[in-house]
């Protein structure tokens, strides 16, 4: 991911510098930013075209490459793409790219910059309280500034970016931090404060202990602001700061020339982790942590895993490339985000990788089949939010079974078999799982308890039974396969049924929902014979029944 004029030079340590006239705070928001007032533009930013079941490329042990098996074994991680938020266009600028995401409560905050030689950016607020229907509630457009990173704290968005100071009436330096008031998914332009600090580009921003920490690259600084009024409390000079993160009440700062420096809450240096990787010209990297390890994105080397206390390197996790990735593209690790035992890795043009932590060991599971160059990734609860350049924000659901569902599935056999599940007439099959299929067909009786996805068709043959407890996802909105319930057959659902395709109910067919909380979400058409029945209590997200 490129950042404006961020050239890297040698910097071994941070040195304190006095505040000067070059670092100033302004309250002239209208000079830099403008709200998007066209509601249709915001509404049309949500894109369901590619929504649906996601493929996962797993490693072929014989070749070391990642591929998607059409007729092999069923796999774990039945992931789905909920929706995309398209990158904004403003005043004819169609080159904006998603750079960073902060998730806070019911909202995701997405930053954008311009990939090429001009300055331009934006910040979106996306309501995610209804996982079926995300909504862009507000957008702040910048005509003369890139927005490279965002964080949220106490009703404010803090945005780090770069501005063309020569064209700005307010900017005293190219690097800035904006403090922007937000409420209920809206920006308040009457309450914006800008702070400018040394450096060609603001690279990252962190809220910690009632202070705002901002990093800037190329002859830049680590600048500490008071969160109350954005006055500068201290500055530390550096040439190559890429990101800042906090863990276990400590602060870690990544220097592109040296490595990681760990500080206590008083910014007293505790330790260093030397990294000799070339992190690249004009890049931004974002670290994350396990309980005892720090995960550092190291460009073309992949993820560097280090002991957070001692600084000892444990291993590298090399880049796992999407099969369609250009070998000459920007295939570098940019960011890492941990969510329980799952670690998501943003590998630029090489795609988005999923790793697993088992028994303290971290290893790659596969590459998720999404488009775009993945600049940043973060996760919260059962969702993954990926900033994918000009492809915008992509919202992915992990679809992990709940604890209550696991108790319902006790005693059932975990499914381990073909990706094309077939139950023959007269057979009774019962499985638990967290599984990806290519197709499911039953002529007998089939119970699936857990979380399941099928890339293609689901067929309940004549007089057969398919019962599902949990969640079931099938097809993609751009390539609509069908759920077909044939004559006198029954599909019984207790939980969530997502069909990113079509539903066909033949004569005497029954689609039955159990309980009080079942959800059905059909993107395609519903064809229902006169004698077919849809019964029970359910929420019909798109009013197809």
């Amino acid at each position: 991911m490129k950042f404006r004029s961020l050239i890297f030079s040698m910097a071994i340590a941070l040195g304190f510098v006095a505040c000067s006239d070059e670092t100033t705070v302004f309250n002239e928001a209208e000079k830099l930013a403008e709200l998007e007032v066209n509601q249709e533009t915001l509404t049309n930013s949500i894109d369901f075209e590619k929504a649906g079941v996601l493929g996962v490329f797993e490693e072929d042990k014989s070749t070391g490459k990642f591929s998607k098996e059409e007729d092999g074994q069923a796999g774990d991680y039945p992931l789905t793409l909920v929706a995309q938020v398209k990158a904004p266009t403003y005043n004819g600028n169609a080159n904006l790219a998603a750079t960073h995401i902060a998730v806070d409560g019911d909202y995701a905050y997405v930053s954008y910059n311009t990939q090429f030689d001009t300055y331009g950016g934006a910040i979106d607020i996306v309501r995610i309280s209804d996982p079926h229907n995300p909504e862009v509630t507000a957008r702040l457009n910048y005509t003369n500034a890139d927005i490279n990173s965002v964080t949220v704290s106490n009703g404010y968005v803090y945005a780090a970016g770069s501005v063309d100071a020569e064209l700005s009436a307010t900017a005293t330096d190219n690097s800035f931090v904006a403090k922007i008031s937000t409420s209920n998914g809206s920006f308040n332009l009457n309450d914006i404060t800008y702070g400018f600090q040394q450096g060609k580009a603001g690279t990252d921003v962190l809220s910690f202990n009632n202070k705002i920490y901002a990093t800037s690259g190329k002859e830049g600084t680590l600048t500490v602001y008071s969160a109350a009024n954005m006055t500068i409390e201290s500055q530390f000079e550096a040439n190559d700061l890429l990101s800042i993160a906090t863990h276990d009440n400590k602060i870690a700062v990544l220097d592109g020339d040296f490595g990681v420096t760990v500080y206590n809450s008083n910014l007293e240096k505790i330790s260093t982790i030397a990294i000799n990787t070339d992190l690249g010209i004009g890049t931004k990297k974002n670290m994350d942590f396990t309980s005892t390890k720090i995960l550092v994105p190291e460009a073309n080397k992949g993820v560097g895993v280090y002991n957070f206390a001692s600084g000892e390197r444990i291993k590298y996790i090399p880049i796992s490339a999407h099969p369609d990735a250009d070998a000459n593209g920007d295939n570098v690790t940019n960011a890492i985000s941990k969510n329980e035992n799952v670690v998501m890795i943003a590998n630029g043009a090489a795609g988005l990788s999923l790793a697993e932590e088992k028994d303290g060991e971290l290893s790659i599971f596969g590459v998720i089949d999404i488009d775009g160059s993945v600049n940043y990734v973060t996760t919260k609860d059962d969702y993954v939010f990926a900033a994918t350049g000009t492809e915008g924000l992509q919202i992915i659901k992990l679809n992990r079974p709940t604890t209550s569902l696991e108790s319902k599935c006790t005693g059932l056999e975990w499914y381990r078999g073909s990706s094309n599940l077939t139950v023959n007439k007269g057979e009774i099959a019962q499985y638990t799982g967290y599984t990806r299929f290519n197709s499911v067909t039953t002529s007998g009786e089939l119970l699936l308890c857990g979380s399941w996805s099928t890339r293609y068709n689901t067929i309940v043959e004549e007089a057969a039974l398919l019962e599902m407890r949990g969640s079931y996802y099938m097809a993609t909105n751009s390539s609509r396969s069908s759920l077909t319930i044939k004559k006198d057959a029954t599909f019984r659902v207790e939980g969530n049924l997502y069909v990113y395709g079509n539903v066909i109910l033949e004569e005497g067919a029954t689609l039955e929902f159990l309980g009080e909380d079942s959800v059905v979400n059909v993107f395609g058409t519903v064809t229902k014979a006169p004698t077919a029945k849809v019964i029970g209590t359910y929420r019909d997200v798109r009013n197809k029944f």
Side-chain angles (χ1 to χ4, degrees):
M1 182 170 60
K2 297 198 300 183
F3 288 84
R4 188 72 51 231
S5 301
L6 188 58
I7 307 299
F8 299 107
S9 56
M10 295 302 294
I12 301 302
L14 299 176
F16 182 78
V17 295
C19 302
S20 70
D21 291 338
E22 294 179 354
T23 304
T24 316
V25 175
F26 288 89
N27 289 287
E28 300 180 46
E30 70 280 3
K31 299 291 182 65
L32 290 175
E34 183 174 316
L35 284 173
E36 176 60 67
V37 296
N38 188 327
Q39 183 58 47
E40 185 178 1
T41 297
L42 300 181
T43 299
N44 291 340
S45 296
I46 301 295
D47 187 357
F48 292 104
E49 180 184 355
K50 298 175 184 176
V53 174
L54 289 171
V56 179
F57 299 99
E58 297 186 46
E59 186 177 13
D60 184 333
K61 301 302 181 183
S62 63
T63 64
K65 295 183 177 181
F66 288 80
S67 61
K68 186 162 46 182
E69 292 287 346
E70 290 292 326
D71 299 309
Q73 295 291 103
D76 294 339
Y77 295 100
L79 310 178
T80 49
L81 179 65
V82 176
Q84 290 180 249
V85 179
K86 293 184 287 188
T89 59
Y90 182 67
N91 283 353
N93 186 352
N95 297 319
L96 294 187
T99 55
H100 201 99
I101 307 149
V103 179
D104 183 67
D106 291 337
Y107 298 95
Y109 301 79
V110 188
S111 63
Y112 302 87
N113 71 6
T114 302
Q115 293 183 302
F116 303 110
D117 293 333
T118 58
Y119 288 82
I123 306 172
D124 278 346
I125 303 180
V126 184
R127 182 181 288 124
I128 54 175
S129 54
D130 181 355
H132 312 291
N133 289 303
E135 176 189 4
V136 180
T137 58
R139 173 171 294 159
L140 194 59
N141 293 304
Y142 281 82
T143 58
N144 186 37
D146 290 340
I147 309 298
N148 300 328
S149 181
V150 287
T151 193
V152 183
S153 180
N154 296 324
Y156 288 90
V157 175
Y158 296 89
S162 45
V163 61
D164 188 343
E166 293 181 0
L167 298 180
S168 171
T170 58
T172 57
D173 258 302
N174 292 85
S175 177
F176 73 89
V177 175
K179 178 184 179 182
I180 310 167
S181 175
T182 66
S183 177
N184 298 319
S186 298
F187 293 107
N188 178 9
L189 262 64
N190 293 318
D191 189 5
I192 299 184
T193 302
Y194 288 94
F196 298 93
Q197 68 268 346
Q198 287 178 216
K200 296 299 183 183
T203 54
D204 206 1
V205 60
L206 169 72
S207 174
F208 179 66
N209 284 353
N210 297 315
K211 303 180 191 300
I212 304 302
Y213 297 79
T215 57
S216 52
K218 193 186 178 184
E219 301 171 359
T221 60
L222 169 62
T223 302
V224 184
Y225 293 93
S226 164
N229 54 21
M230 291 298 288
T231 56
I232 292 177
E233 296 188 351
S234 57
Q235 283 187 289
F236 300 85
E237 190 174 55
N239 287 340
D240 194 7
L241 296 188
L242 307 184
S243 71
I244 184 169
T246 181
H247 176 66
D248 194 24
N249 207 38
K250 299 179 180 67
I251 297 169
V253 178
L254 178 60
D255 185 311
D257 290 324
F258 166 71
V260 178
T261 304
V262 181
Y263 300 90
N264 63 19
S265 57
N266 295 321
L267 277 184
E268 297 166 336
K269 185 167 69 173
I270 298 173
S271 62
T272 58
I273 301 172
I275 295 172
N276 60 9
T277 304
D278 180 1
L279 296 180
I281 296 175
T283 67
K284 174 179 178 292
K285 309 295 181 190
N286 290 90
M287 305 170 286
D288 207 347
F289 307 86
T290 69
S291 58
T292 60
K293 303 178 184 70
I294 182 169
L295 311 177
V296 181
E298 295 194 37
N300 58 7
K301 285 185 181 178
V303 179
V305 182
Y306 298 84
N307 183 295
F308 188 53
S310 69
E312 178 189 4
R313 187 178 75 234
I314 298 169
K315 63 187 293 189
Y316 284 119
I317 300 175
I319 292 173
S320 306
H322 190 291
D324 297 333
D326 182 353
N328 298 317
D330 188 22
N331 301 318
V332 293
T333 301
N334 293 317
I336 304 137
S337 181
K338 187 177 186 300
N339 184 331
E340 297 179 2
N341 68 316
V342 171
V343 176
M344 307 303 299
I345 305 171
N347 285 326
L352 179 64
S353 291
L354 185 154
E356 296 176 305
E357 187 179 40
K358 293 182 178 179
D359 301 322
E361 289 295 320
L362 193 61
S363 59
I364 292 293
F365 176 83
V367 180
I368 300 172
D369 190 11
I370 61 171
D371 296 331
S373 182
V374 188
N375 294 327
Y376 181 78
V377 63
T378 189
T379 66
K380 181 181 181 183
D381 300 329
D382 204 34
Y383 292 88
V384 176
F385 303 87
T388 55
T390 55
E391 289 286 329
L393 168 69
Q394 303 202 40
I395 304 172
I396 298 168
K397 195 167 187 295
L398 292 170
N399 299 319
R400 294 178 292 197
T402 63
T403 302
S404 61
L405 180 60
E406 289 176 350
S407 65
K408 289 184 179 181
C409 301
T410 301
L412 295 181
E413 177 186 358
W414 190 276
Y415 183 81
R416 289 295 185 223
S418 170
S419 61
N420 297 298
L421 171 60
T422 299
V423 177
N424 296 319
K425 188 173 184 179
E427 292 182 347
I428 298 175
Q430 298 180 330
Y431 300 110
T432 185
Y434 171 54
T435 305
R436 289 175 287 120
F437 296 113
N438 282 329
S439 66
V440 172
T441 301
T442 178
S443 299
E445 296 183 15
L446 173 62
L447 168 64
L448 297 175
C449 189
S451 189
W452 314 84
S453 70
T454 64
R455 292 177 61 207
Y456 305 121
N457 294 322
T458 297
I459 301 173
V460 188
E461 297 284 6
E462 185 173 336
L465 172 66
L466 172 54
E467 295 183 284
M468 192 283 300
R469 294 178 181 174
S471 297
Y472 194 87
Y473 309 86
M474 61 161 291
T476 59
N477 196 29
S478 59
S479 179
R480 292 179 175 175
S481 302
S482 295
L483 165 61
T484 303
I485 308 173
K486 292 194 174 182
K487 181 180 179 182
D488 298 328
T490 299
F491 188 179
R492 190 170 291 138
V493 175
E494 182 181 0
N496 302 308
L497 174 62
Y498 290 70
V499 182
Y500 296 92
N502 306 312
V503 176
I504 301 170
L505 290 91
E506 296 185 355
E507 293 290 341
T510 301
L511 177 58
E512 180 181 2
F513 294 92
L514 303 179
E516 301 296 323
D517 301 316
S518 291
V519 173
V520 59
N521 189 3
V522 178
F523 279 74
T525 61
V526 173
T527 304
K528 181 172 171 288
T531 57
K533 297 179 294 183
V534 180
I535 58 177
T537 301
Y538 57 94
R539 176 189 172 195
D540 182 3
V541 173
R542 302 189 188 281
N543 299 314
K544 293 300 178 77
F545 293 99

